[in-house]
Amino acid sequence: MPGNTIGKIFKLTTFGESHGKALGGIIDGCPSGIKIDYKKIEYELNRRRTGQSDIVTPRKELDKFEILSGIYNNITTGTPIGFVIYNKDTKSKDYSNIEHAYRPSHADYTYHKKYKNRDYRGGGRSSARETVCRVLAGSIAKQILKDIEIYAYVNSVGNIKLNKDYDNINKEDIETNIIRCPDINISNKMIHLIKKYQKKGDTLGGTIVCVIKNVPVGLGEPVFNKLHSELGKAMLSINAAKGFEYGSGFKGTTMLGSEHNDRFIENFKTKTNYSGGIQGGISNGMDIYLKIAFKPISTIKKEQYTVDKNNKKIKIKIKGRHDPCVLPRAIPIVESMAALVLLDYYLINKIYK
Amino acid sequence: MPGNTIGKIFKLTTFGESHGKALGGIIDGCPSGIKIDYKKIEYELNRRRTGQSDIVTPRKELDKFEILSGIYNNITTGTPIGFVIYNKDTKSKDYSNIEHAYRPSHADYTYHKKYKNRDYRGGGRSSARETVCRVLAGSIAKQILKDIEIYAYVNSVGNIKLNKDYDNINKEDIETNIIRCPDINISNKMIHLIKKYQKKGDTLGGTIVCVIKNVPVGLGEPVFNKLHSELGKAMLSINAAKGFEYGSGFKGTTMLGSEHNDRFIENFKTKTNYSGGIQGGISNGMDIYLKIAFKPISTIKKEQYTVDKNNKKIKIKIKGRHDPCVLPRAIPIVESMAALVLLDYYLINKIYK
Amino acid sequence: MPGNTIGKIFKLTTFGESHGKALGGIIDGCPSGIKIDYKKIEYELNRRRTGQSDIVTPRKELDKFEILSGIYNNITTGTPIGFVIYNKDTKSKDYSNIEHAYRPSHADYTYHKKYKNRDYRGGGRSSARETVCRVLAGSIAKQILKDIEIYAYVNSVGNIKLNKDYDNINKEDIETNIIRCPDINISNKMIHLIKKYQKKGDTLGGTIVCVIKNVPVGLGEPVFNKLHSELGKAMLSINAAKGFEYGSGFKGTTMLGSEHNDRFIENFKTKTNYSGGIQGGISNGMDIYLKIAFKPISTIKKEQYTVDKNNKKIKIKIKGRHDPCVLPRAIPIVESMAALVLLDYYLINKIYK
Amino acid sequence: MPGNTIGKIFKLTTFGESHGKALGGIIDGCPSGIKIDYKKIEYELNRRRTGQSDIVTPRKELDKFEILSGIYNNITTGTPIGFVIYNKDTKSKDYSNIEHAYRPSHADYTYHKKYKNRDYRGGGRSSARETVCRVLAGSIAKQILKDIEIYAYVNSVGNIKLNKDYDNINKEDIETNIIRCPDINISNKMIHLIKKYQKKGDTLGGTIVCVIKNVPVGLGEPVFNKLHSELGKAMLSINAAKGFEYGSGFKGTTMLGSEHNDRFIENFKTKTNYSGGIQGGISNGMDIYLKIAFKPISTIKKEQYTVDKNNKKIKIKIKGRHDPCVLPRAIPIVESMAALVLLDYYLINKIYK
């Protein structure tokens, strides 16, 4: 079953491999008459791009996008939006030494077994390069959802944690530093930690918090398509994601019902918000907040033992230019996935008004 | 957009409210020629049913199911399997005092705002009563997936945790106690804790671990429909679920890449299994293990303040018979959701062989 | 791939075999707050039912339906509508003599090859009995689409044709006779013809015209999901349907462009309506009219040669009670399929307003 | 609801307007390991392209395609196939005189009402230019379906009809003439007729027959997704299509059941084939044959009266270069739609083996 589409009404389908000719996608179901600012798309792509700071891979992907259809004089026409991003800086030769190797914790082995015909250059379709299309579409989704505010930030890197709740940070502080953590002391520690392990050729994981504000009441569909189920699916589809929680999350499992229940007060607001803005799978108008766990990136520069496709033990050393920590570049991806899900439900909800 | 269907090939669609005439569903896409043992369906329904022990609600739902089509002489015919479970023990009068109230952390408010026409009796469609159809379908899925082993157990209740990895427990121990935790000491503590708060009219949350063994390599689809994304979506669609992780999960975020990488050894097995049996969204043949967080049930017997539909502050006391902790009855639901997702991908994978 | 669902937003999924316990379905995506008149459902089911006249099968299917969920105090709640119709008058013994035969032009052979495990009793899922669920759901769709008028009539039986355009008949005349043709002379001839061949144990085909009035401008989606494509698919899914046309149809192929073009006049009406109310796959506000071809029913009482499942030549004589002509009972089915498609697009269109 | 995708497993999504930058698409769900011959794609595109003969539009669309992903060293990799065709010869100025006009029987009015923001240049998304993507994808589908033979031919132009059944023609004769009718006398008459009306600035319609041979038994899904329903939907989605029939079609409505029934003979073949290779919605191994009705193209060069967007009566004369008859260029489109549907069901059928 094809797995390259997300959304039911605002549908994004993507294509493209890290070392192929181009990546791109089609957005089908976009409403007509909406002004799209290409500068905003560029801004988001730049937040995701390589080479943006010295704690991300120095690879230079230009990420110059072309909109091929569906937008005329900067206004959406209601027809499908086709877009393409040609690959430029793809040094395929870097991968020649691992042509036959199954790199630990990569998708080499599973792709090879599933598809037989594997493109060994840089992960092909399993590479995070694929997420560039998510960010482009997410930026369009954000522009349509203009009243809904979506932002994400780095909450922890390894053992260094931001010990503040989402409603105790200033979102303006997020972009003040290269790790995208809204606390200058903590962010410095995070950057220091990353640089330390970067030198050793190792990698780090961490968590990202995403906040969604001003969501109208009523988004989400009961039973199998609850709003948080789709958000969870979308976030877990990002490379390196290992976990997802919303509202009180795993911590909420240690509370009593009488503590955890969000008492309604005036104007149908709730006094606490352990529910995380979603009740019975449907938004209740309070802030939605999510946390996503990212493992340390599998591409390390240290020498590793593994096997090749003939099951022979080998030692490999991955060359190429890679990220020491996925988190800063994952921020716009997380926001984009949130925007895609929210917009889809926003449009669905119009049916039943 | 309708949200009452799960699956792409093996598709379950369900209907029914907690206090309506009946619940039921249709399984479309079930392969033909498969022997279905009705006793196994009953067994699973009994693990989910009310009144099975003194730490679950004493409500007596008989859960007698009728298969109406699609199975002829106990063998599937390939046509849709329609099934129905008539409601019996529904004391609607218990709910009359909360007709106009929005119970804290329930779906009363969101359903009312979304659908206008709310059935106030027991949560209607948002009630966990709905999961009876999931367990019935899940039992059929399990019977089709006979080589794949799926089991779940309670891993924590409040602050009482089973401190063992999934591969250090005996699955035979799970059903030896009413909380379904495979450790007699811990399970006793859990049961004790639940009874303590049950008396106070309060409720508890916790976590469930689900293990899936003997999964063939190659299940799952790249990018948006990764195997763990669909598992996450399915688990998060269960009432009271607040979080999901697989493999190393949130803990994995504090490891280094060099520690976390699962080195391949002989026969394409991996020495460690932080990946949780899934790489690049595709099963790699190692054990899949998941953890799901459940909040304490919102239906507490303690008096609570809230508002009614006119935004007037009121005090309510929920009557009726309710669970002090969702976990023991959620075990077969978790297993069922795992079976539904696995079977769907198992069938999809046959296309590309 | 399961094929028992129609619709994208207003989704009907059905189950049930002609000689099984029950038939039924689930409507998912029905808007809430709509009053449903059960008498109207009964009225439509009676138009489809057996035994209604002496030119249809005398089999007595009671078609007593039960709504199991989704409607509370006659008002839809927005939750899935589950319904069931238990089979009563199923004389399975009538079929014992054809257990191993592949009846000519039936689905016996194809079902057996596809599913291996065939239910030989009366066609099972391939029986037109299945359409009872379509009519029930179609009646609900009609009630929601109250401003859109949908009616169908018999346009030809064998070589006897009604030589009037759809806008030259009185729709009140349709139900004045048992064949449902709005011309008393022609309908008498049709009935006479059917009775003649009924006695000989033979069957007749014919055509049905369906008219849809007061359709808002803008229903339908471009390219693959054009309004007439979905109408075509829906009509062609009815048992015995062999052809479909809309607007000028096959006749239009012999016209010149200058004759066929529908010139716009005042208020964006068109002078002619060869387009059949649809331009570029989208409704233009003019009347939609369709014609559907139905072959003569395959179940004849005459002796026939065929083969059995071992490829052995055999002579069979089908017993049981069958229709000599599908048309009069197909009228409400055609209307229902039109209503289901129109409502689906009507709801989809609300997204983009 | 987005309508730019066809297929459930082998899914084609397309984008692009006639006068935009480019058209293109994504094929998701293509099996891996299949050799694709680009020359064959070119061959099919050339059969569809403009300027191929003096009875089609002299417009020169180069239709040079680029495959951007999913095929590596000419072998499919199982990842999505992205492709693009840049527009070259688009003379937008030709359309300036009709910017505000609603051309008769075009989609100008319906698109404008539906999307507000209309691209008046050449029909935009409603232009048959869009079908170039169908042919590209259809050629890939044909290459995968190598054992299934698919071909189409012109059966009538205006009142000139080929009076032969599909099994009395030589398929080698189809490409011997520019109208693509496998009878040299009839094709000459057709060409003569087209040229006659071409000079007058008028257009002609006609019918196309499509034949599908060597179809395995068992393709198609019961009830709503019957094989002929999907074929009908696919064919009716082609620009200018007004009708569809399969097997005996509309003619079959005048036969008796005893004449129409296809008696099984040796090896489960049938003596006649009025069923058109499909019984109960499932292929039975006999030849599938379809007929599709195409209206005369709406773009005529004669002066016409119509209204503009302010409902003012105007006289227009469409400039530009247009086809006098859609049929010769529609042949590869019809074949492509058949290939897309057949391949989709072929893959689906593998699930249940």
Side-chain angles (χ1 to χ4, degrees):
Chain A
M1 179 68 110
N4 297 285
T5 298
I6 188 166
K8 293 174 190 70
I9 295 296
F10 189 88
K11 282 173 77 171
L12 170 67
T13 305
T14 67
F15 69 85
E17 288 105 37
S18 56
H19 288 68
K21 273 195 189 178
L23 298 106
I26 302 175
I27 297 168
D28 199 6
C30 184
S32 65
I34 290 165
K35 199 177 158 67
I36 301 298
D37 184 342
Y38 285 24
K39 291 277 174 228
K40 288 186 182 168
I41 299 177
E42 264 171 45
Y43 170 75
E44 298 293 353
L45 292 180
N46 283 334
R47 291 171 80 211
R48 195 210 75 96
R49 67 177 284 196
T50 55
Q52 63 180 273
S53 76
D54 51 2
I55 57 166
V56 310
T57 165
R59 218 164 42 221
K60 284 261 162 56
E61 288 148 356
L62 290 175
D63 293 349
K64 241 184 92 176
F65 67 96
E66 272 182 79
I67 302 287
L68 301 174
S69 67
I71 302 181
Y72 185 53
N73 296 333
N74 286 75
I75 311 284
T76 61
T77 60
T79 59
I81 301 172
F83 62 87
V84 72
I85 295 145
Y86 284 91
N87 280 324
K88 292 281 161 61
D89 182 28
T90 53
K91 299 196 182 170
S92 294
K93 56 180 186 290
D94 282 334
Y95 293 95
S96 55
N97 68 320
I98 51 157
E99 180 171 354
H100 304 295
Y102 291 148
R103 288 170 296 170
S105 291
H106 277 79
D108 298 344
Y109 171 65
T110 52
Y111 266 62
H112 201 182
K113 287 286 278 188
K114 190 175 180 78
Y115 300 112
K116 309 316 185 265
N117 186 31
R118 182 168 73 93
D119 180 351
Y120 62 88
R121 301 169 304 165
R125 187 68 179 151
S126 72
S127 162
R129 177 92 186 104
E130 158 267 308
T131 56
V132 69
C133 297
R134 306 185 186 213
V135 172
L136 190 155
S139 168
I140 291 176
K142 275 184 181 178
Q143 296 188 44
I144 301 174
L145 282 174
K146 47 182 176 271
D147 294 333
I148 296 179
E149 189 180 22
I150 299 171
Y151 56 89
Y153 58 86
V154 171
N155 183 64
S156 69
V157 172
N159 282 306
I160 301 176
K161 289 203 170 69
L162 172 71
N163 282 312
K164 289 178 182 171
D165 284 339
Y166 82 92
D167 47 359
N168 277 324
I169 64 121
N170 289 316
K171 77 181 166 75
E172 291 72 25
D173 295 338
I174 299 171
E175 294 292 324
T176 59
N177 59 78
I178 56 176
I179 187 70
R180 299 197 165 94
C181 171
D183 180 301
I184 195 66
N185 284 324
I186 302 292
S187 68
N188 280 337
K189 284 184 196 167
M190 289 171 171
I191 294 164
H192 183 76
L193 188 73
I194 291 172
K195 288 187 176 174
K196 176 179 156 193
Y197 282 102
Q198 191 176 19
K199 273 177 216 147
K200 298 185 181 181
D202 217 328
T203 59
L204 288 158
T207 59
I208 287 175
V209 167
C210 180
V211 183
I212 311 168
K213 283 173 178 273
N214 299 326
V215 180
V217 184
L219 305 196
E221 296 298 325
V223 184
F224 298 116
N225 294 348
K226 295 185 167 104
L227 180 53
H228 56 265
S229 311
E230 290 289 357
L231 283 166
K233 179 183 167 181
M235 296 305 169
L236 289 162
S237 79
I238 303 173
N239 302 48
K242 300 295 289 186
F244 168 88
E245 60 175 35
Y246 78 105
S248 63
F250 277 88
K251 225 176 188 174
T253 66
T254 61
M255 296 170 75
L256 293 173
S258 56
E259 296 165 342
H260 193 278
N261 276 0
D262 292 320
R263 177 183 160 187
F264 282 99
I265 48 172
E266 69 282 355
N267 297 320
F268 307 111
K269 298 258 169 294
T270 59
K271 198 171 176 180
T272 49
N273 183 19
Y274 295 116
S275 297
I278 302 172
Q279 287 174 330
I282 298 166
S283 62
N284 69 353
M286 300 292 290
D287 296 341
I288 295 175
Y289 57 101
L290 322 165
K291 193 184 288 172
I292 307 109
F294 291 93
K295 67 168 188 177
I297 292 175
S298 321
T299 309
I300 58 173
K301 296 197 175 186
K302 289 189 159 180
E303 237 177 27
Q304 297 176 90
Y305 282 99
T306 187
V307 299
D308 67 10
K309 65 182 180 182
N310 300 314
N311 198 20
K312 219 187 73 185
K313 186 174 165 178
I314 53 170
K315 196 193 275 184
I316 60 163
K317 197 165 152 61
I318 303 173
K319 297 177 207 163
R321 299 149 297 165
H322 301 283
D323 287 277
C325 178
V326 77
L327 299 178
R329 295 179 57 207
I331 293 292
I333 305 170
V334 163
E335 293 174 4
S336 291
M337 297 316 290
L340 290 171
V341 171
L342 265 287
L343 177 55
D344 206 38
Y345 276 114
Y346 176 83
L347 293 173
I348 290 167
N349 205 42
K350 292 179 74 176
I351 299 171
Y352 299 110
K353 284 209 163 169
Chain B
M1 178 68 105
N4 297 285
T5 298
I6 189 167
K8 293 175 190 74
I9 296 294
F10 189 89
K11 285 174 75 171
L12 170 67
T13 305
T14 67
F15 69 86
E17 288 105 37
S18 58
H19 288 67
K21 270 195 189 177
L23 298 106
I26 302 176
I27 297 168
D28 199 4
C30 185
S32 65
I34 290 165
K35 198 177 159 68
I36 301 299
D37 184 344
Y38 286 25
K39 291 278 173 226
K40 288 185 181 168
I41 299 177
E42 264 172 44
Y43 170 75
E44 298 292 351
L45 292 180
N46 282 335
R47 291 171 81 210
R48 196 210 74 96
R49 69 176 283 197
T50 56
Q52 62 179 273
S53 76
D54 50 4
I55 57 168
V56 307
T57 166
R59 219 166 40 224
K60 283 264 162 53
E61 289 147 356
L62 289 175
D63 293 347
K64 240 184 93 175
F65 67 95
E66 272 183 79
I67 302 288
L68 300 174
S69 67
I71 302 179
Y72 185 52
N73 296 333
N74 286 74
I75 310 282
T76 60
T77 61
T79 59
I81 300 172
F83 61 87
V84 71
I85 295 145
Y86 284 90
N87 280 325
K88 292 283 161 59
D89 182 28
T90 54
K91 299 197 181 171
S92 295
K93 57 180 186 291
D94 281 335
Y95 295 94
S96 55
N97 68 320
I98 50 158
E99 180 171 355
H100 303 296
Y102 291 147
R103 290 168 295 168
S105 291
H106 277 78
D108 297 345
Y109 171 64
T110 52
Y111 266 62
H112 202 183
K113 286 286 278 187
K114 190 175 180 78
Y115 299 112
K116 309 314 185 267
N117 186 33
R118 184 168 71 96
D119 180 352
Y120 62 88
R121 300 169 304 164
R125 186 67 179 153
S126 73
S127 161
R129 176 93 186 102
E130 158 267 308
T131 57
V132 69
C133 297
R134 304 185 186 214
V135 173
L136 190 154
S139 167
I140 290 176
K142 275 185 182 177
Q143 295 187 44
I144 300 174
L145 281 174
K146 46 181 176 275
D147 293 333
I148 296 179
E149 191 180 18
I150 299 171
Y151 56 88
Y153 58 85
V154 170
N155 182 65
S156 69
V157 173
N159 283 306
I160 300 177
K161 288 203 171 70
L162 173 69
N163 282 312
K164 288 176 184 173
D165 284 339
Y166 83 90
D167 48 0
N168 277 324
I169 65 119
N170 289 317
K171 77 180 167 71
E172 291 71 26
D173 294 340
I174 299 170
E175 293 293 323
T176 60
N177 60 77
I178 55 177
I179 188 69
R180 299 198 165 94
C181 171
D183 179 303
I184 196 66
N185 283 324
I186 303 292
S187 68
N188 279 338
K189 285 184 194 167
M190 289 171 171
I191 295 164
H192 183 77
L193 187 74
I194 291 171
K195 287 188 175 172
K196 176 177 156 194
Y197 283 101
Q198 189 176 21
K199 271 179 216 142
K200 298 184 181 180
D202 217 326
T203 58
L204 289 157
T207 59
I208 286 175
V209 167
C210 181
V211 182
I212 312 168
K213 283 171 178 271
N214 300 326
V215 181
V217 184
L219 304 196
E221 297 297 325
V223 184
F224 298 117
N225 293 350
K226 294 187 169 101
L227 179 53
H228 57 264
S229 311
E230 290 290 356
L231 283 166
K233 179 182 168 182
M235 296 304 168
L236 289 162
S237 79
I238 303 173
N239 304 49
K242 300 294 288 185
F244 168 87
E245 61 175 37
Y246 78 106
S248 64
F250 278 88
K251 225 177 188 173
T253 66
T254 61
M255 296 171 75
L256 293 172
S258 56
E259 294 165 343
H260 193 279
N261 275 0
D262 292 321
R263 174 183 160 188
F264 282 101
I265 46 169
E266 68 281 355
N267 297 319
F268 307 110
K269 299 256 169 296
T270 59
K271 196 169 177 182
T272 50
N273 182 19
Y274 294 115
S275 297
I278 302 172
Q279 288 173 331
I282 299 168
S283 62
N284 69 353
M286 301 292 291
D287 296 341
I288 295 174
Y289 57 100
L290 322 164
K291 194 184 286 173
I292 306 108
F294 291 94
K295 68 168 187 175
I297 293 174
S298 321
T299 310
I300 59 173
K301 297 197 173 185
K302 289 187 158 179
E303 237 175 29
Q304 299 175 90
Y305 283 100
T306 187
V307 301
D308 67 10
K309 64 183 181 184
N310 301 314
N311 198 19
K312 220 187 71 184
K313 187 175 165 179
I314 54 171
K315 195 194 275 185
I316 59 164
K317 199 167 149 57
I318 302 172
K319 297 178 206 164
R321 300 149 295 166
H322 301 283
D323 288 278
C325 177
V326 77
L327 299 177
R329 292 180 58 208
I331 293 292
I333 305 170
V334 164
E335 292 173 3
S336 291
M337 297 316 288
L340 291 170
V341 171
L342 265 287
L343 178 55
D344 206 36
Y345 277 113
Y346 177 83
L347 294 172
I348 289 168
N349 205 41
K350 292 179 74 176
I351 298 171
Y352 299 108
K353 286 210 161 169
Chain C
M1 179 71 109
N4 297 285
T5 297
I6 191 167
K8 292 175 190 70
I9 295 296
F10 188 87
K11 283 174 77 171
L12 170 66
T13 305
T14 68
F15 68 85
E17 288 106 37
S18 57
H19 287 69
K21 271 196 188 177
L23 297 106
I26 303 175
I27 297 168
D28 199 6
C30 186
S32 65
I34 290 164
K35 198 177 158 69
I36 300 300
D37 184 343
Y38 286 23
K39 291 276 174 229
K40 288 186 181 167
I41 299 177
E42 265 172 43
Y43 169 76
E44 298 293 352
L45 291 181
N46 282 335
R47 291 171 81 211
R48 197 210 73 97
R49 68 177 282 198
T50 56
Q52 63 181 272
S53 77
D54 50 5
I55 57 166
V56 308
T57 166
R59 217 166 40 223
K60 285 261 164 53
E61 287 150 358
L62 291 176
D63 292 348
K64 242 184 91 176
F65 67 95
E66 272 182 80
I67 302 286
L68 301 174
S69 67
I71 301 179
Y72 184 53
N73 295 333
N74 286 73
I75 310 283
T76 60
T77 60
T79 59
I81 300 173
F83 61 87
V84 72
I85 296 145
Y86 284 89
N87 280 323
K88 291 284 161 56
D89 183 26
T90 54
K91 298 197 180 171
S92 295
K93 58 179 183 292
D94 281 337
Y95 294 93
S96 55
N97 68 320
I98 52 156
E99 179 171 354
H100 304 295
Y102 291 147
R103 288 169 296 169
S105 291
H106 276 78
D108 297 345
Y109 170 65
T110 51
Y111 266 62
H112 201 182
K113 286 286 279 188
K114 191 176 179 76
Y115 300 112
K116 313 309 184 272
N117 186 32
R118 183 169 72 94
D119 179 351
Y120 62 89
R121 300 169 305 163
R125 187 68 179 151
S126 72
S127 163
R129 177 93 186 102
E130 159 266 308
T131 56
V132 69
C133 297
R134 304 185 186 213
V135 173
L136 189 154
S139 167
I140 290 175
K142 275 184 181 179
Q143 296 187 46
I144 301 174
L145 281 174
K146 47 182 176 274
D147 294 333
I148 295 179
E149 190 180 20
I150 298 170
Y151 57 88
Y153 58 85
V154 171
N155 182 65
S156 70
V157 173
N159 282 306
I160 301 175
K161 289 203 168 69
L162 174 71
N163 283 313
K164 289 178 183 169
D165 284 340
Y166 83 91
D167 48 359
N168 277 323
I169 65 120
N170 289 316
K171 76 181 168 75
E172 291 72 26
D173 295 340
I174 298 170
E175 293 293 323
T176 59
N177 60 77
I178 55 176
I179 187 70
R180 299 198 165 94
C181 171
D183 179 302
I184 194 67
N185 284 324
I186 302 292
S187 68
N188 280 338
K189 285 184 195 167
M190 288 171 171
I191 294 164
H192 183 77
L193 187 74
I194 291 171
K195 287 187 174 171
K196 177 178 155 193
Y197 283 101
Q198 189 176 23
K199 272 176 214 143
K200 297 185 181 181
D202 217 328
T203 58
L204 288 156
T207 58
I208 286 176
V209 167
C210 180
V211 183
I212 312 167
K213 282 171 179 273
N214 300 327
V215 181
V217 184
L219 305 197
E221 297 298 325
V223 185
F224 298 116
N225 294 349
K226 294 187 166 102
L227 180 53
H228 57 265
S229 311
E230 289 289 355
L231 283 166
K233 179 183 167 181
M235 296 305 169
L236 289 162
S237 79
I238 302 174
N239 304 47
K242 298 296 287 185
F244 168 87
E245 60 176 38
Y246 78 105
S248 64
F250 278 88
K251 226 178 189 171
T253 65
T254 62
M255 296 171 76
L256 293 172
S258 56
E259 295 165 343
H260 193 279
N261 274 359
D262 293 320
R263 176 183 158 186
F264 282 100
I265 47 171
E266 67 283 355
N267 296 321
F268 308 108
K269 298 258 168 293
T270 60
K271 197 170 178 181
T272 49
N273 183 18
Y274 295 115
S275 298
I278 302 172
Q279 287 174 331
I282 298 167
S283 62
N284 69 353
M286 300 293 290
D287 296 342
I288 295 174
Y289 57 101
L290 322 164
K291 193 184 287 173
I292 307 109
F294 291 94
K295 68 168 187 175
I297 292 175
S298 322
T299 309
I300 59 174
K301 296 198 173 185
K302 288 188 159 180
E303 237 176 29
Q304 299 176 90
Y305 283 99
T306 190
V307 300
D308 67 9
K309 66 181 180 183
N310 301 314
N311 197 20
K312 220 187 72 184
K313 187 175 164 178
I314 54 171
K315 196 193 276 184
I316 59 162
K317 199 167 150 58
I318 302 172
K319 297 178 207 163
R321 297 148 299 165
H322 301 284
D323 287 279
C325 179
V326 76
L327 300 177
R329 294 180 58 208
I331 293 293
I333 305 170
V334 164
E335 293 173 3
S336 292
M337 296 317 289
L340 290 171
V341 172
L342 265 289
L343 177 56
D344 206 36
Y345 277 113
Y346 177 83
L347 293 173
I348 290 168
N349 206 42
K350 294 179 73 176
I351 298 170
Y352 299 109
K353 285 209 162 168
Chain D
M1 179 69 106
N4 297 285
T5 298
I6 189 166
K8 293 175 190 74
I9 295 295
F10 188 88
K11 284 174 76 171
L12 171 66
T13 305
T14 68
F15 69 86
E17 288 104 38
S18 58
H19 288 67
K21 272 197 191 176
L23 298 106
I26 302 175
I27 298 168
D28 199 6
C30 185
S32 65
I34 290 166
K35 198 178 159 67
I36 300 299
D37 184 344
Y38 285 24
K39 291 277 173 228
K40 288 186 181 167
I41 299 177
E42 265 171 44
Y43 170 75
E44 298 293 351
L45 292 180
N46 283 335
R47 292 171 79 210
R48 196 210 75 96
R49 67 177 281 197
T50 55
Q52 62 180 272
S53 76
D54 50 4
I55 57 167
V56 309
T57 167
R59 216 164 44 222
K60 285 260 162 55
E61 288 148 358
L62 288 176
D63 292 349
K64 240 183 93 176
F65 67 95
E66 272 183 79
I67 302 287
L68 301 174
S69 66
I71 302 181
Y72 184 53
N73 295 333
N74 287 73
I75 310 283
T76 60
T77 60
T79 58
I81 300 172
F83 60 87
V84 72
I85 295 145
Y86 283 90
N87 280 325
K88 292 281 160 60
D89 182 28
T90 53
K91 299 196 183 172
S92 294
K93 57 179 184 291
D94 281 335
Y95 295 95
S96 56
N97 69 321
I98 51 159
E99 180 171 354
H100 303 296
Y102 291 147
R103 288 168 296 167
S105 291
H106 276 78
D108 297 346
Y109 170 65
T110 52
Y111 266 62
H112 201 182
K113 286 287 278 188
K114 191 175 180 78
Y115 299 112
K116 310 308 184 272
N117 184 34
R118 181 167 73 95
D119 179 352
Y120 62 87
R121 301 169 304 163
R125 187 68 180 151
S126 72
S127 162
R129 177 91 186 104
E130 158 266 308
T131 56
V132 69
C133 298
R134 304 186 186 212
V135 173
L136 190 154
S139 167
I140 291 176
K142 275 184 182 178
Q143 296 188 44
I144 301 175
L145 280 174
K146 47 182 176 274
D147 293 333
I148 296 179
E149 191 180 17
I150 299 171
Y151 57 89
Y153 58 85
V154 170
N155 183 65
S156 70
V157 173
N159 281 307
I160 301 176
K161 288 204 170 70
L162 172 71
N163 281 313
K164 289 176 182 171
D165 284 339
Y166 82 91
D167 47 1
N168 277 324
I169 64 120
N170 289 317
K171 77 180 168 72
E172 290 73 25
D173 295 339
I174 299 171
E175 293 293 323
T176 60
N177 59 77
I178 56 175
I179 186 69
R180 300 198 165 94
C181 171
D183 179 303
I184 194 68
N185 284 323
I186 301 293
S187 68
N188 280 337
K189 285 183 194 168
M190 289 170 170
I191 294 164
H192 183 78
L193 188 74
I194 291 171
K195 287 186 175 174
K196 178 178 155 193
Y197 283 102
Q198 191 176 21
K199 274 177 215 143
K200 299 186 181 181
D202 217 328
T203 57
L204 289 157
T207 58
I208 286 176
V209 167
C210 181
V211 183
I212 311 167
K213 283 172 179 274
N214 299 326
V215 181
V217 184
L219 305 196
E221 296 299 323
V223 184
F224 298 116
N225 293 349
K226 294 184 168 106
L227 180 53
H228 57 266
S229 312
E230 290 288 357
L231 283 166
K233 178 182 167 183
M235 296 304 168
L236 290 161
S237 79
I238 303 173
N239 303 49
K242 298 296 287 185
F244 168 88
E245 61 176 36
Y246 77 105
S248 63
F250 277 88
K251 224 178 190 173
T253 66
T254 63
M255 296 170 75
L256 293 172
S258 56
E259 295 165 344
H260 194 278
N261 275 358
D262 292 320
R263 176 183 159 188
F264 282 100
I265 47 170
E266 67 283 356
N267 296 322
F268 307 111
K269 299 258 168 293
T270 60
K271 198 171 177 179
T272 49
N273 183 19
Y274 295 115
S275 297
I278 302 172
Q279 287 174 332
I282 298 168
S283 63
N284 70 353
M286 301 292 291
D287 296 341
I288 295 175
Y289 58 101
L290 322 164
K291 194 183 287 173
I292 307 108
F294 290 93
K295 67 167 188 177
I297 292 175
S298 322
T299 309
I300 59 174
K301 295 196 175 187
K302 291 187 157 181
E303 238 176 30
Q304 298 176 92
Y305 283 100
T306 188
V307 300
D308 67 9
K309 64 182 183 184
N310 301 314
N311 198 21
K312 218 187 71 184
K313 187 176 165 178
I314 54 170
K315 195 193 277 185
I316 60 162
K317 197 165 152 58
I318 302 173
K319 296 179 208 162
R321 299 149 297 165
H322 301 284
D323 287 279
C325 178
V326 77
L327 300 178
R329 294 180 58 207
I331 294 293
I333 305 170
V334 163
E335 293 173 3
S336 291
M337 297 315 289
L340 290 170
V341 172
L342 264 287
L343 177 55
D344 206 36
Y345 276 114
Y346 177 83
L347 294 173
I348 290 167
N349 205 41
K350 292 179 74 175
I351 299 171
Y352 299 108
K353 284 209 161 168

